[in-house]
Amino acid sequence: MQLFRSHILVCGGSSCTASKSEQIIKEFDSHLKANGLENEVQVVKTGCFGLCAQGPNIVIYPEGANYFRVKVEDVKEIVEEHLVKGKIVKRLLATGDKNENTNEDYSANSIEFFARQMRIALRNCGVINPEDIEEYIAYDGYQALGKVLTTMTPAEVIELVKKSGLRGRGGGGFPTGLKWSFAAGNEAPKKYVLCNADEGDPGAFMDRSILEGDPHSIIEAMAIAAYAIGSDEGAVYVRAEYPIAVKRLQIAIDQAKKLGLIGKDIFGTGFNFDLSIRLGAGAFVCGEETALMTSIEGHRGEPRPRPPFPAAKGLWQSPTVLNNVETYANVPQIILNGAEWFSNIGTERSKGTKVFAISGKIKNTGLLEVPMGTTLREVIFDIAGGIPNGKAFKAAQTGGPSGGCIPASLIDTPIDYDSLVALGSIMGSGGLIVMDEDNCMVDIAKFFLEFTVEESCGKCPPCRIGTKRMLEILEKITSGKGEEGDIEKLEILANSIRMSSLCGLGQTAPNPVLSTLKYFRDEYEEHVFEKKCRAKVCKEMLKYIVIDDKCKFCGICAKNCPTNAISGEPKVPYLIDQDKCIKCGLCETKCPFDAIERK
Amino acid sequence: MNSLEELNAIRDKKKDELSQRKDSQNLRIVVGMASCGIAAGAKPVMDAIIEELNTRGINDIKVSMTGCMGICRLEPIVEVIYPDETRVTYANIDAEKAKRIVAENIVNGQVCTDLTIEAVQNDDGGK
């Protein structure tokens, strides 16, 4: 069989034949011969392509180039350009050079995930090259710093940020402008500007993404903050577990220094600002502001009582402003577009947008940014695509281990700082973990408590001992040994830890337990009194059994059972010995007939 | 940096470079290379694109990286950006698909409609 490097498919349908496709085929044959290609290229007459209005249609493979409305005179050009030189004849392409004929949008905006978002903090993520400062500048980067330094006084900058209504995106929601004004008001020979990039809660990755995708926006905003409070030095505290973020931030700092956007006498205004990176070892407690500064000073990352607040006595006992990555990412846009623009977005008391890192039982795991006040339903179902595999939505955890869950019945709650607090959760840094009917809420609470027990720094007893005791009770309940009174003990412990812990870590650690108790108390009670886990997650309360009707006696389960707990013989349904069963679930995954059930 | 004018000069120069005048045919290819993209295999995709462009002797197309677009589930994401800033966004790309994008979209000017983000968004890809 002869091999051709290219095939020309010419439509031989009646409509195209009416527009001279027969002559076109003849013309191809003669031009191919003239160019000595008759043994390399085959001309094939095909049936109707279905786009008769655009005929005659020609497709050339292997490229799959679709030429529409080809005339006999065009053939010479197609042969010489496309087949000899390998250049597509763009003017004849079906779609034109682009998609001009179809109006089709092939960009990311064509899907609902992007179409419904509003991107301020993430505006450059996925748009610019983070390792090229000029791309950031092309997208109006450093314009805000230029505007601030050349046309505004520090007091005006603070006033503008205050007016915008920007609140801290790290979790607490403290008004950013107010924080800056405290630090500005404290006279001192040295002041510091810090960025908290010690993102540590499970399921949160927005700070990492901003540092990886748009590091210059943080540098620019920190320089603006420094100007506003009268500081000349800043540091970004980022965990060493984020190597790409650290690398790109360092590249960004070096490039900014090289262009003189940080350093001495920026824009010829006499303003100096130097910025460095401080690596953290990844302790959750170092996201707490006083612990973070203690860590930068070279000590073990432990919090200290406040007051004095960092704005009065922060890093090295100097007035310090500490903001989260996402908070900073908003600042340049606020400066450029004005306070009014920003304060028109969002709700009465929560202005602007919020970035969420959405994960768990959700289709579109990822990052999204929506105006404050968007409902949880819109975020989960409209933007993030809902729950996969047709399962039912059960709850969403906001704020990670410091936050709480929001049950399905409250899914129409607008997401803003105050609504979430009213529900017993917090905004947190923006981690959003979605749970479906297969999640056990007691198990979820246990998971988050395990995390806080692990991450407690140990300085204050309520957090060090109290969370451990709470975890022990939860372990007891989930292993089927819960007793009457355990739930009440959990509540007493939770409330005293919340009131007596030294820092935010301990004060918020009981939140996952308290909020699951608030909305899913019946599940706790089922565990304690009926020894039952409705989501079939808590192993000790589970039983694997063979459904007799479905069992085909193949013996695969018995062969795979690591403890030889399954026995059987031909024609008799297999049986699982519950005393030997270790509930590994292997039989369930191996059974070809779905004959094994968790009960 | 001594003045705002200097900053504006860089901005204008780069803006021109990024969104070339209409008569230019130059496209840009951008690969999402945040942690999520890299973990999903953006590096081999980037390599495949560069290799395919080199094989075909195409040297007027700029390939660069970018950060996380947000839809980490569909990484690696590759965007073809036209001079007028319209974009074609491809998702769940591997090295083979990347070569196809070069051949079909870059060389032949035809969008690989089966690889666009809209086409693959409902595909769970076994995840």
Side-chain angles (χ1 to χ4, degrees):
Chain A
M1 195 189 129
Q2 194 182 350
L3 287 174
F4 294 95
R5 73 166 164 93
S6 281
H7 290 84
I8 304 171
L9 274 56
V10 182
C11 177
S14 32
S15 175
C16 287
T17 309
S19 0
K20 301 186 180 166
S21 68
E22 290 289 343
Q23 280 110 304
I24 288 171
I25 293 176
K26 276 189 196 134
E27 192 77 4
F28 265 119
D29 283 334
S30 73
H31 281 287
L32 288 174
K33 254 194 201 115
N35 286 288
L37 293 173
E38 70 268 37
N39 293 324
E40 292 181 41
V41 182
Q42 189 181 31
V43 183
V44 183
K45 188 158 89 174
T46 67
C48 178
F49 289 169
L51 277 162
C52 311
Q54 305 283 344
N57 301 160
I58 290 172
V59 184
I60 301 184
Y61 284 105
E63 297 88 346
N66 268 290
Y67 292 124
F68 280 179
R69 296 189 185 195
V70 179
K71 295 193 190 72
V72 178
E73 322 65 280
D74 295 326
V75 170
K76 185 166 183 260
E77 192 187 349
I78 293 176
V79 171
E80 287 176 0
E81 291 295 312
H82 189 145
L83 296 165
V84 177
K85 296 183 193 159
K87 279 187 184 166
I88 302 290
V89 184
K90 288 191 173 154
R91 67 177 180 89
L92 295 173
L93 277 180
T95 47
D97 193 3
K98 273 199 311 278
N99 324 302
E100 281 151 5
N101 293 344
T102 56
N103 283 331
E104 274 215 62
D105 183 3
Y106 292 114
S107 75
N109 285 330
S110 63
I111 70 171
E112 198 151 11
F113 181 79
F114 290 103
R116 297 188 64 134
Q117 292 190 48
M118 178 172 195
R119 298 192 150 209
I120 298 174
L122 297 178
R123 66 195 176 277
N124 288 331
C125 286
V127 177
I128 63 165
N129 179 348
E131 295 187 5
D132 183 354
I133 190 172
E134 291 190 357
E135 285 202 17
Y136 179 67
I137 293 173
Y139 283 81
D140 289 332
Y142 291 104
Q143 291 288 333
L145 179 62
K147 181 178 171 188
V148 161
L149 293 186
T150 54
T151 66
M152 294 169 83
T153 66
E156 282 168 352
V157 177
I158 292 176
E159 197 49 40
L160 181 82
V161 177
K162 265 190 189 169
K163 256 197 186 152
S164 74
L166 176 66
R167 291 169 68 176
R169 298 292 193 249
F174 193 81
T176 307
L178 198 59
K179 196 186 248 185
W180 291 12
S181 71
F182 290 153
N186 287 315
E187 285 304 321
K190 184 83 183 173
K191 294 182 189 177
Y192 293 97
V193 174
L194 299 179
C195 174
N196 186 348
D198 191 62
E199 181 177 56
D201 37 331
F205 46 90
M206 44 275 144
D207 294 350
R208 191 196 70 208
S209 290
I210 293 173
L211 287 177
E212 285 175 0
D214 193 16
H216 285 286
S217 66
I218 306 304
I219 299 173
E220 181 178 9
M222 290 182 74
I224 292 168
Y227 176 74
I229 68 159
S231 156
D232 63 353
E233 193 178 341
V236 181
Y237 186 85
V238 55
R239 41 184 53 211
E241 301 164 11
Y242 283 178
I244 300 168
V246 171
K247 184 182 140 217
R248 295 202 181 144
L249 182 62
Q250 189 60 58
I251 291 172
I253 290 175
D254 294 344
Q255 288 177 343
K257 275 188 182 155
K258 210 170 157 200
L259 280 185
L261 287 163
I262 52 179
K264 298 254 179 277
D265 194 20
I266 302 168
F267 289 119
T269 57
F271 171 67
N272 306 326
F273 181 62
D274 194 24
L275 184 63
S276 59
I277 298 177
R278 298 301 158 104
L279 291 183
F284 183 57
V285 71
C286 289
E288 196 280 337
E289 57 181 10
T290 58
L292 186 152
M293 291 183 295
T294 314
S295 171
I296 292 182
E297 288 168 1
H299 305 289
R300 176 193 280 249
E302 284 179 345
R304 59 156 179 80
R306 294 174 302 181
F309 286 93
K313 276 189 175 170
L315 187 63
W316 309 113
Q317 301 296 308
S318 300
T320 301
V321 153
L322 172 67
N323 286 120
N324 162 270
V325 171
E326 190 191 333
T327 315
Y328 279 128
N330 279 294
V331 169
Q333 288 298 299
I334 293 173
I335 303 281
L336 287 180
N337 296 314
E340 207 159 287
W341 164 80
F342 193 78
S343 63
N344 278 331
I345 305 164
T347 63
E348 181 66 35
R349 297 194 55 223
S350 303
K351 301 300 187 189
T353 56
K354 181 76 193 85
V355 180
F356 290 98
I358 192 162
S359 61
K361 305 286 178 64
I362 191 80
K363 212 174 124 192
N364 291 328
T365 298
L367 274 191
L368 50 90
E369 183 171 355
V370 288
M372 294 272 191
T374 305
T375 65
L376 200 56
R377 182 190 298 278
E378 288 171 85
V379 170
I380 291 175
F381 287 96
D382 298 345
I383 299 174
I387 319 292
N389 306 321
K391 298 277 183 181
F393 169 71
K394 187 172 190 177
Q397 177 89 10
T398 66
S402 311
C405 70
I406 299 168
S409 57
L410 294 170
I411 192 172
D412 288 309
T413 308
I415 307 176
D416 60 48
Y417 292 103
D418 310 302
S419 311
L420 291 182
V421 170
L423 295 182
S425 184
I426 59 165
M427 176 77 84
S429 54
L432 190 59
I433 301 172
V434 181
M435 289 161 271
D436 71 4
E437 52 192 295
D438 290 343
N439 287 105
C440 165
M441 299 315 286
V442 188
D443 186 65
I444 292 287
K446 191 179 83 175
F447 166 78
F448 283 116
L449 212 60
E450 271 168 5
F451 179 82
T452 32
V453 167
E454 187 98 335
E455 294 290 345
S456 170
C457 76
K459 186 169 180 174
C460 74
C463 176
R464 180 181 71 237
I465 304 168
T467 55
K468 177 85 177 137
R469 292 289 96 86
M470 280 180 77
L471 179 61
E472 283 165 3
I473 298 176
L474 283 175
E475 281 169 346
K476 197 173 144 196
I477 294 177
T478 53
S479 61
K481 299 182 188 111
E483 299 166 78
E484 196 174 349
D486 279 348
I487 298 176
E488 289 71 21
K489 273 187 212 155
L490 269 180
E491 282 176 320
I492 295 169
L493 268 169
N495 284 317
S496 36
I497 293 168
R498 198 161 67 159
M499 288 188 296
S500 54
S501 287
L502 174 58
C503 79
L505 194 158
Q507 286 156 13
T508 58
N511 279 353
V513 174
L514 286 171
S515 72
T516 46
L517 266 174
K518 185 170 170 187
Y519 298 114
F520 298 96
R521 198 182 181 96
D522 49 340
E523 271 190 48
Y524 279 83
E525 287 170 354
E526 266 173 23
H527 280 74
V528 173
F529 299 111
E530 296 169 37
K531 312 290 177 219
K532 187 181 142 204
C533 173
R534 65 169 83 166
K536 296 170 186 167
V537 170
C538 298
K539 270 187 185 176
E540 276 85 349
M541 280 175 251
L542 276 184
K543 242 189 194 175
Y544 283 86
I545 53 161
V546 179
I547 306 168
D548 291 357
D549 296 350
K550 285 190 178 173
C551 182
K552 300 274 188 287
F553 333 119
C554 67
I556 290 178
C557 54
K559 268 186 220 125
N560 281 288
C561 179
T563 56
N564 292 325
I566 310 180
S567 56
E569 50 192 288
K571 308 234 166 149
V572 182
Y574 278 62
L575 197 71
I576 303 176
D577 182 345
Q578 297 300 334
D579 293 334
K580 284 189 187 166
C581 176
I582 55 165
K583 288 147 189 167
C584 65
L586 204 55
C587 52
E588 190 191 17
T589 47
K590 293 286 179 186
C591 178
F593 310 106
D594 293 330
I596 291 175
E597 192 187 29
R598 273 182 288 165
K599 234 183 164 174
Chain B
M1 191 68 55
N2 292 320
S3 66
L4 259 183
E5 287 71 40
E6 219 176 299
L7 182 72
N8 291 340
I10 297 178
R11 179 187 60 182
D12 297 341
K13 183 186 121 243
K14 192 72 180 181
K15 248 188 192 165
D16 270 1
E17 204 183 303
L18 287 176
S19 52
Q20 283 111 352
R21 271 149 283 185
K22 291 267 180 186
D23 51 310
S24 158
Q25 295 295 315
N26 287 358
L27 307 178
R28 287 191 292 138
I29 303 177
V30 170
V31 182
M33 290 191 87
S35 287
C36 48
I38 292 171
K43 187 74 177 59
V45 168
M46 174 79 108
D47 292 346
I49 291 172
I50 293 170
E51 193 194 316
E52 194 65 19
L53 289 172
N54 286 340
T55 317
R56 291 168 179 265
I58 301 167
N59 49 24
D60 57 350
I61 287 185
K62 193 183 162 203
V63 184
S64 62
M65 64 169 182
T66 191
C68 171
M69 287 183 68
I71 192 149
C72 314
R73 174 176 77 92
L74 297 176
E75 293 280 356
I77 290 176
V78 172
E79 282 200 312
V80 175
I81 305 173
Y82 290 91
D84 65 355
E85 283 290 301
T86 55
R87 290 156 184 262
V88 178
T89 310
Y90 293 110
N92 269 346
I93 297 305
D94 58 23
E96 282 311 306
K97 290 176 185 167
K99 288 182 181 171
R100 244 189 82 197
I101 291 170
V102 173
E104 293 177 25
N105 194 332
I106 306 300
V107 179
N108 290 341
Q110 295 205 314
V111 173
C112 310
T113 48
D114 57 324
L115 301 181
T116 61
I117 193 161
E118 196 184 9
V120 303
Q121 64 164 331
N122 292 318
D123 183 12
D124 279 337
K127 279 173 216 165

